Structure formats: structure tokens, C-alpha cells
Amino acid sequence: MGSKTFKGGVHPFEGKELAKDQPIVEVLPKGDLVYPLSQHIGAPASPIVAVGDRVLKGQKIAEAGGFVSSPIYASASGTVKAIEPRRVATGDMVKSIVTDNDGTFEEAEYTPCEDVTSLTKDEIIAKVKEAGIVGMGGAGFPTHVKLSPKEPDKIEYIIANCAECEPYLTADYRRMIENPEELIGGMKIILQLFDHAKGILGIEDNKPDCIEKLTKLVENEPRIEVCPLQTKYPQGGERQLIYAVTKRAINSKMLPADAGCIVDNVETIIAVYNAVRFGHPLTNRVSTITGDAVAKPGNFLYNIGTNYAELVEAAGGFQTEPEKMISGGPMMGFAMFGLDVPTTKTSSSLLCLTKDEVSVTEPTACINCGRCVEACPELLVPSRLAKFGDNGLSAEFEAWHGLECVECGSCSFVCPAKKQLAQSIKTMKKQVLAAKRK
């Protein structure tokens, strides 16, 4: 049987060969650590330390500001220097806790659990919540909220997003190769929460070694199976992944739980394992530092709050000054203005390119070729939606289902006129949603 997939999508240049074969390397921070209090969807965390306090690695420094929020932990020992607004990767000024780094990495004590199967469901969710785990694939939704649906008995699938469909990114691939037991362990813990669910590891078929390794690991696990997926972007999109695995469709007014599914990415599931089994709060993660401007692209386990510039230094620095720097992948990531910003829980990669392909192209008139329609995984008409957006026609935008756009960028990628369709649609989506909130 062939690999499963969805309708639409594109096949961009992968670029994964730059970092794919580079093992994960741990990078310890050298300078100050900066912890923005908004590293997740929901209410910002609230500081529980003051300037002058000494903190340990793994010590809670900010508590959740509400149910949909997440605590933050120090990733290195040192002294709190300031609690003030700091610039983050998106360009916003966000209130942050700043600590110096004393270089000792003195660590707080954790409480491991020898037998995770003895834990109740409430105990597991409490440990996940206390550890500050959020969706680490980019969205940053607090994981304890995702694992607490209104009707847990109706959850039938726990889907591990192992697709890593964005070009250039290889951090999840290295995790699956180097830490597969932790991924399976995390999946088994999550399955303890849902009596009627099955665990599915959705892996694109351009990772045959991962498919083989994980299939062997779960051969005696009746509740977990590996599902090969066709290599196609955006195969790792939540809606596309759910459809590929279950043939169930959801829209913008639904949650995955409404289709009996919960989706978590590789890094998040591993964080769940480390939190529940060893009591480790979320203080580090793996990211890919790559691109043709980087001297030695690779995958790095770094302490959250580390400056981006230090990660580039760990990758050998720039062999050529980059024209474009992107946080995340080239399809859904966002351009960065500089490297003097802190990493966060959702910093999955940094892509540095010697040439900005987008800025050198001049958009021309739409030729009504329909390629954007063929590529759209939501079966929309991007060219028309972009036109509505450019002209401020919000009613027409909604009538043509513009809010269903998943912002994957496939339409812009295939457009022969080089029109920035996704950008126009995303802008109008924000305006329409902001008006609805009012």
C-alpha cells in the first residue's frame, strides 16, 4: 500500500542534506539568558523572581498566567539582572526576565518517577503542566491544555507529527534517529491518558531509516504503529496530517479533538517523556542551524534563552554574509532583522541564505493559470482571496472561505506571476479575526 497523503501541496527543494547527517551537538550558553514571558499561545507567564535573586538551572522563574498559559524555567544558573522589555525574533518588545550566566550550571533537584504506569491521568497532566511544555513545532499551544479535551473518551488517535515537511529542517529527524526510545516513551505516557486511543507515528517516506527504526521499536506495542506518509509539503500541517492518517477533515471552527485526534510534534512528545519520567522541566530543545551562508550547518541542543548569535557561532559562523535570515522553515517561517534576540520554546530552526530569492522577483499580473488552486491543501482559490485582501473586501474574503487558509505558502510558491498570495491572505485573515474579536 502506498504512503498516505492529502489533496494539493507542493514539492519544494528540500535542502535537508546540509544538516541531515550531522548528529545533535549540545551547546552551552556563554552570555546572558533572556526569557520572554510570552513563549506560548495564551496569557503571558508572571515573574516569581526579583532583580538580584540567584536562580538555578531548572528553577521556576515565572508561573502560568492562567489556564491557557505556561510556566518558564531558568536554563542556566545565575543572577536576575533585569525584568524588562526585550526584542524577540518577531520584532516585538516583550517583557522578559534577564539573568547572567555564572558558568556553573548548578541545577535544581528533580523528582523522577520510576514507574510511570502507576501515575493517574491527573498526575500526568499536572506534571506536563508544571514542566512548562508547549507545542514546540511552532504554535506554542500549552500541551497540558491539548491533553485535557472535554471528552477524553472520544479521542481515538494520538498522532505524532514526525513529518518535518519544511525544507532544510532536520532537528526532528535527528531526534528520531538518536532518541527514538524517548519518543516512544512519551507516546506511551500520552496514551495512558486516553483509554480508547491508538498512537500513530506519521513519518514522510523520505526518512526510510526512521520508519525502519521506529517500526522495529513498536513491533510489540499493540497501541502504537508507524504510518508512512508521502513526501509532500505541507504534510506536517495539522489538518493535512489528520486527513492523511485518518481521512477525517477539520476546519477552522474545529479542534483536532472534534475529529477524535490529538497531534503533537516529536520535540514536544520527548519533552513529555522527560518531564513525567525524570521530572525535568522544559529548559532546552534541539534546533537546526542551516543554510548556504552557514559554515557548518547542524543540529544543536541548546538552553532556551540563549542568544541566536551564539548558535550561529556554534555552527561555525557565516562563511558568507546572509542576505536573508529566517526563523523556522522557508515556507512558513518569518524573516529576522538580526541575531541579537533570544531563543524560545518554539525556536525550531534558523535558516540563513546567501540570496534572497523573494526580493529579487517582481510580481506581475495574474494569468489565471489555476496553479495556486491545485496546490492549496484547503481547496481554496488563493488568487481570488489575495485580490479581496489587497482591496480590503472582508465580506467577500469570508464568503470565499478565506479563514480556512492554513497559511502554508504553497500558493505563493507555485505562482508563475510571483505574486505574494499567502502574504495578502494572511494579512486579511488577521484583520477579519481582529474585527471579530472586537
Side-chain angles (χ1 to χ4, degrees):
M1 192 170 80
S3 301
K4 297 183 178 182
T5 191
F6 60 96
K7 296 178 182 179
V10 293
H11 294 87
F13 169 69
E14 290 192 3
K16 294 180 184 286
E17 67 280 355
L18 290 173
K20 178 176 178 286
D21 298 322
Q22 300 303 315
I24 297 168
V25 175
E26 184 175 7
V27 179
L28 294 177
K30 299 175 182 177
D32 292 349
L33 283 300
V34 178
Y35 308 99
L37 295 174
S38 293
Q39 300 189 32
H40 48 263
I41 290 174
S46 303
I48 55 173
V49 292
V51 174
D53 288 352
R54 185 168 189 273
V55 297
L56 304 179
K57 179 182 178 182
Q59 177 182 330
K60 188 192 291 188
I61 56 176
E63 61 186 5
F67 179 64
V68 183
S69 186
S70 184
I72 295 170
Y73 290 79
S75 63
S77 55
T79 303
V80 178
K81 294 175 62 176
I83 300 177
E84 62 188 18
R86 286 293 185 100
R87 189 81 63 186
V88 297
T90 57
D92 297 324
M93 295 293 286
V94 176
K95 187 177 180 181
S96 307
I97 298 172
V98 183
T99 70
D100 65 10
N101 177 8
D102 63 16
T104 66
F105 297 97
E106 187 180 350
E107 203 157 359
E109 290 187 7
Y110 309 124
T111 305
C113 178
E114 295 298 331
D115 180 17
V116 296
T117 61
S118 67
L119 296 172
T120 66
K121 296 175 182 180
D122 287 343
E123 287 173 334
I124 291 173
I125 291 175
K127 285 177 178 288
V128 171
K129 179 180 181 179
E130 185 64 17
I133 300 171
V134 303
M136 295 159 76
F141 193 79
T143 302
H144 70 276
V145 180
K146 186 180 285 190
L147 297 180
S148 306
K150 291 180 180 178
E151 299 178 288
D153 287 342
K154 292 186 178 180
I155 300 299
E156 298 177 64
Y157 297 98
I158 307 299
I159 304 175
N161 184 355
C162 307
E164 199 167 42
C165 62
E166 272 273 9
Y168 292 95
L169 276 60
T170 57
D172 285 352
Y173 168 78
R174 292 311 311 178
R175 277 294 207 183
M176 288 186 279
I177 290 295
E178 298 183 43
N179 310 116
E181 293 85 2
E182 294 178 21
L183 174 60
I184 301 304
M187 174 62 82
K188 290 166 72 173
I189 288 170
I190 294 173
L191 285 172
Q192 284 182 232
L193 300 172
F194 304 100
D195 299 330
H196 310 297
K198 188 168 190 175
I200 307 290
L201 306 173
I203 311 175
E204 283 193 327
D205 54 17
N206 64 348
K207 306 174 184 67
D209 44 356
C210 291
I211 292 174
E212 181 182 357
K213 177 169 280 196
L214 290 168
T215 298
K216 189 172 182 180
L217 277 176
V218 303
E219 59 186 0
N220 295 318
E221 300 289 346
R223 295 184 66 192
I224 305 176
E225 67 178 47
V226 173
C227 176
L229 304 170
Q230 184 178 322
T231 301
K232 183 169 65 169
Y233 178 85
Q235 188 68 263
E238 195 168 60
R239 295 189 208 172
Q240 286 65 52
L241 185 59
I242 289 172
Y243 182 81
V245 171
T246 70
K247 296 304 177 189
R248 299 176 182 181
I250 62 172
N251 58 40
S252 62
K253 296 178 181 178
M254 298 170 65
L255 294 172
D258 296 326
C261 300
I262 286 176
V263 181
D264 280 311
N265 95 312
V266 170
E267 195 74 20
T268 305
I269 295 175
I270 289 176
V272 167
Y273 174 77
N274 287 323
V276 177
R277 172 65 182 85
F278 300 107
H280 291 171
L282 181 56
T283 60
N284 60 17
R285 66 160 298 158
V286 177
S287 288
T288 305
I289 309 300
T290 188
D292 58 1
V294 177
K296 297 176 182 178
N299 304 285
F300 301 93
L301 177 67
Y302 68 88
N303 295 33
I304 292 166
T306 300
N307 193 283
Y308 268 106
E310 291 189 33
L311 296 187
V312 172
E313 182 184 341
F318 293 132
Q319 59 182 358
T320 306
E321 198 62 29
E323 221 179 70
K324 191 81 166 183
M325 295 185 295
I326 300 171
S327 176
M331 299 296 287
M332 291 187 74
F334 50 86
M336 289 177 60
F337 56 88
L339 294 175
D340 188 21
V341 291
T343 53
T344 65
K345 298 177 183 181
T346 59
S347 301
S348 62
S349 69
L350 177 67
L351 174 59
C352 304
L353 302 172
T354 57
K355 189 175 181 181
D356 185 349
E357 298 284 357
V358 176
S359 65
V360 297
T361 58
E362 196 67 38
T364 58
C366 172
I367 59 173
N368 295 313
C369 65
R371 291 184 191 176
C372 60
V373 180
E374 292 177 358
C376 179
E378 289 298 305
L379 309 181
L380 303 175
V381 185
S383 57
R384 183 154 296 187
L385 292 174
K387 186 175 181 180
F388 292 148
D390 291 339
N391 290 281
L393 303 174
S394 58
E396 290 84 348
F397 181 85
E398 274 200 82
W400 282 76
H401 310 291
L403 294 180
E404 297 304 317
C405 171
V406 293
E407 304 180 11
C408 66
S410 295
C411 53
S412 296
F413 178 78
V414 298
C415 180
K418 305 300 180 186
K419 296 179 74 66
Q420 295 304 308
L421 303 172
Q423 183 172 316
S424 297
I425 296 170
K426 281 193 278 188
T427 301
M428 178 51 78
K429 263 188 73 177
K430 288 180 180 178
Q431 293 173 0
V432 171
L433 292 172
K436 284 180 177 292
R437 282 193 291 270
K438 287 183 179 179

